[in-house]
Amino acid sequence: MTDTAKSARIQPFSAPKGVPDYVPPTSADFHAVRSTFETVIHNSGYGHIELPVFEETGLFARGVGESTDVVSKEMYTFNDRGGRSVTLRPEGTAGVMRAVIEHNLDRGQLPVKLTYSGPFFRYERPQAGRYRQLQQVGVEAIGVDDPALDAEVVCLADRCYRALGLTGYRLELTSLGDSTCRPEYRRKLQDFLFALPLDEETRRRAEINPLRVLDDKRPEIREMLDDAPLMPDHLSPEAREHFETVTGLLDDMGVEYTLNPRLVRGLDYYTKTCFEFVHDGLGAQSGIGGGGRYDGLMAQLGGQDLSGIGFGLGVDRTLLALEAEGVSATEGRRVDIYGVPMGHEAKRRLAVVIDRLRRAGVSADMAYGDRGLKGAMKGADRAGARYALVMGEQELADGTVVLRDLTTRDQHEVSLEDVVLTVRSALGVVPR
Ligand code: HAM
């Protein structure tokens, strides 16, 4: 038996449970979602921050909160070979804070506006839209407690989804109060909860973080919570004014939202403005993004007492939301131009034309290997190209190429000198 035959019997590997792969053609949409988010965010003055994928475990325990599911049940934590406890980042905000403090970014111009994207890790029970490796694009605007900044951040998230053509989502918004009113509200809520016949675990949760109980999905608990005191009814005048300025600005910007006084997020650091984008086409895992303000986080991580606000947009779930709406971020297009050479010499010549197009900013690919006209045209279709550039013996002799519109099937000859200009104008690319 040959080595290849032997290896054919080896069981192939699969990706770890709950970890999605993105391969063509879906990967083009994945990439388009992420880069659309990044472009919209960069246009609003956010600088890029590249963070480590793992950090000291204590950072998340202290930053995200010991009582959260994320910290208590879902972290990928292990000792490295030096015996230090490290954790694969479950979210981005704590790491950004750590880096801002470590590099003294909070001692310069404020607010510090940063954006990041990449994978995060949560050991959750996998299901549709809930993964153990999830992808986010996020922003954090740190150091200024200004409701206008809250409005910018919320509006920015909305613009990210709109830029993709997504429409079937709603923005839920509330205020979680601040140090002038949250402690008193917390006591009121606890008094209410402790008077209920709660099971042991829920009672414990009410002791550690009573707000989380409001998020309980069990119908028998929900029923008991109908008359629970709600934060928006107990805001101090300062916190109320802050929130009303935010909603007023969102109204002026034309950002639609629904007030949800029971909105609770899965991370402990939130104060004041808090929001979530929910898509109804996704089933149980309907949160496509969310965020909020966090007053005490920086001080809690050993930095100055500065506030911040940010969001994390879920790339995986946004992709599912686009699918649910039947919208494609790329319309299946991998490239605009596809080269179809007939014969060896034409291939050499066309490869140079394709390179010239790419250098001129046109996305282009071509058929490789010895494929006939039919096979190569199929390649153009699969790439979702708008035009094919066909070169056979005649065109080779004439120093031309045939530009074929793959939708209308119209075609005409173009000289090799003019091909870049002609293609760019056919695609509507503005000349440089
Ligand atoms: P988060 O709500 O935990 O917030 O996550 C943000 C988004 O990531 C969610 O709305 C969801 O779309 C996506 N996501 C979360 N977990 C999963 C999962 N298991 N599978 C697929 N997608 C998931 C944060 O992480 C905060 N750091 C956001 C933030 C930034 N707040 C302030 N600044």
Side-chain angles (χ1 to χ4, degrees):
M1 199 187 284
T2 63
D3 281 353
T4 335
K6 266 189 227 153
S7 68
R9 290 206 319 239
I10 293 174
Q11 191 65 23
F13 290 103
S14 336
K17 192 165 174 232
V19 176
D21 282 321
Y22 292 101
V23 299
T26 328
S27 53
D29 276 320
F30 176 88
H31 187 258
V33 168
R34 193 170 54 192
S35 61
T36 302
F37 286 170
E38 288 169 349
T39 306
V40 175
I41 290 168
H42 280 296
N43 283 348
S44 301
Y46 288 76
H48 180 76
I49 182 164
E50 191 64 38
L51 292 164
V53 164
F54 63 90
E55 299 263 6
E56 236 179 88
T57 301
L59 173 69
F60 301 117
R62 187 130 35 105
V64 177
E66 305 263 16
S67 78
T68 61
D69 283 353
V70 169
V71 170
S72 64
K73 300 186 195 152
E74 297 169 2
M75 295 213 295
Y76 279 90
T77 298
F78 56 96
N79 282 342
D80 70 8
R81 287 172 190 271
R84 300 169 201 89
S85 177
V86 291
T87 294
L88 299 183
R89 58 183 187 185
E91 62 96 55
T93 314
V96 170
M97 277 304 176
R98 195 264 312 138
V100 165
I101 299 167
E102 186 169 343
H103 300 284
N104 293 319
L105 300 185
D106 53 321
R107 308 277 169 186
Q109 173 80 20
L110 296 179
V112 185
K113 291 168 74 170
L114 299 167
T115 177
Y116 51 89
S117 55
F120 297 89
F121 307 86
R122 298 182 187 179
Y123 194 80
E124 296 200 70
R125 204 150 35 79
Q127 64 179 79
R130 186 162 70 193
Y131 306 130
R132 289 182 173 168
Q133 177 173 311
L134 57 121
Q135 302 268 348
Q136 284 184 14
V137 175
V139 308
E140 311 296 343
I142 301 155
V144 174
D145 186 4
D146 180 346
L149 194 55
D150 299 38
E152 172 181 291
V153 167
V154 177
C155 178
L156 185 55
D158 183 67
R159 298 305 180 237
C160 282
Y161 296 124
R162 296 273 172 228
L164 288 168
L166 211 58
T167 52
Y169 64 89
R170 64 178 184 280
L171 161 60
E172 299 195 343
L173 192 68
T174 195
S175 170
L176 292 178
D178 60 16
S179 59
T180 62
C181 49
R182 173 95 148 257
E184 201 185 322
Y185 165 71
R186 191 186 137 100
R187 267 193 302 279
K188 273 196 188 122
L189 181 59
Q190 275 178 331
D191 289 347
F192 174 87
L193 294 173
F194 290 153
L196 299 176
L198 297 174
D199 58 89
E200 202 43 47
E201 201 190 324
T202 314
R203 181 169 283 274
R204 220 178 9 255
R205 198 168 321 137
E207 265 160 35
I208 305 168
N209 188 349
L211 268 152
R212 301 291 313 282
V213 181
L214 291 181
D215 196 28
D216 205 306
K217 304 279 186 289
R218 291 170 294 177
E220 64 277 18
I221 305 277
R222 292 208 93 113
E223 227 168 74
M224 291 193 267
L225 297 176
D226 272 352
D227 297 328
L230 298 173
M231 187 70 240
D233 301 326
H234 296 83
L235 294 176
S236 64
E238 298 91 314
R240 182 175 307 283
E241 194 191 331
H242 183 103
F243 190 55
E244 282 172 359
T245 312
V246 176
T247 51
L249 276 162
L250 291 176
D251 291 337
D252 292 349
M253 290 165 166
V255 177
E256 284 175 28
Y257 55 84
T258 1
L259 296 177
N260 178 359
R262 288 173 184 265
L263 180 65
V264 178
R265 308 236 326 115
L267 313 165
D268 270 358
Y269 44 64
Y270 293 112
T271 54
K272 294 202 185 90
T273 313
C274 184
F275 56 95
E276 201 152 271
F277 288 84
V278 180
H279 197 285
D280 287 326
L282 292 192
Q285 303 308 313
S286 57
I288 53 172
R293 186 166 275 288
Y294 38 85
D295 278 349
L297 181 59
M298 189 182 252
Q300 203 162 335
L301 294 176
Q304 302 187 72
D305 191 7
L306 293 177
S307 179
I309 178 161
F311 62 64
L313 309 182
V315 178
D316 316 84
R317 287 191 197 163
T318 304
L319 195 61
L320 293 173
L322 285 168
E323 272 169 32
E325 288 191 24
V327 179
S328 163
T330 56
E331 293 164 343
R333 182 155 293 128
R334 188 159 62 78
V335 290
D336 285 324
I337 301 295
Y338 199 84
V340 175
M342 300 288 94
H344 190 63
E345 195 48 39
K347 194 191 305 173
R348 282 185 57 175
R349 198 69 78 77
L350 206 49
V352 176
V353 173
I354 293 294
D355 175 57
R356 280 170 57 208
L357 284 167
R358 287 174 177 163
R359 280 189 287 142
V362 174
S363 65
D365 198 0
M366 65 182 280
Y368 291 105
D370 291 319
R371 303 167 76 178
L373 180 66
K374 229 167 121 188
M377 290 306 281
K378 209 180 255 173
D381 264 354
R382 290 220 176 101
R386 289 164 67 180
Y387 294 93
L389 280 180
V390 187
M391 188 186 275
E393 269 180 28
Q394 188 59 52
E395 290 78 27
L396 199 57
D398 296 348
T400 60
V401 66
V402 172
L403 179 66
R404 181 172 163 90
D405 185 320
L406 293 172
T407 318
T408 62
R409 308 276 162 202
D410 287 345
Q411 59 181 49
H412 63 278
E413 244 171 64
V414 185
S415 81
L416 287 184
E417 288 99 84
D418 295 341
V419 67
V420 171
L421 221 62
T422 311
V423 164
R424 278 168 65 94
S425 94
L427 290 172
V429 182
V430 185
R432 276 189 258 196

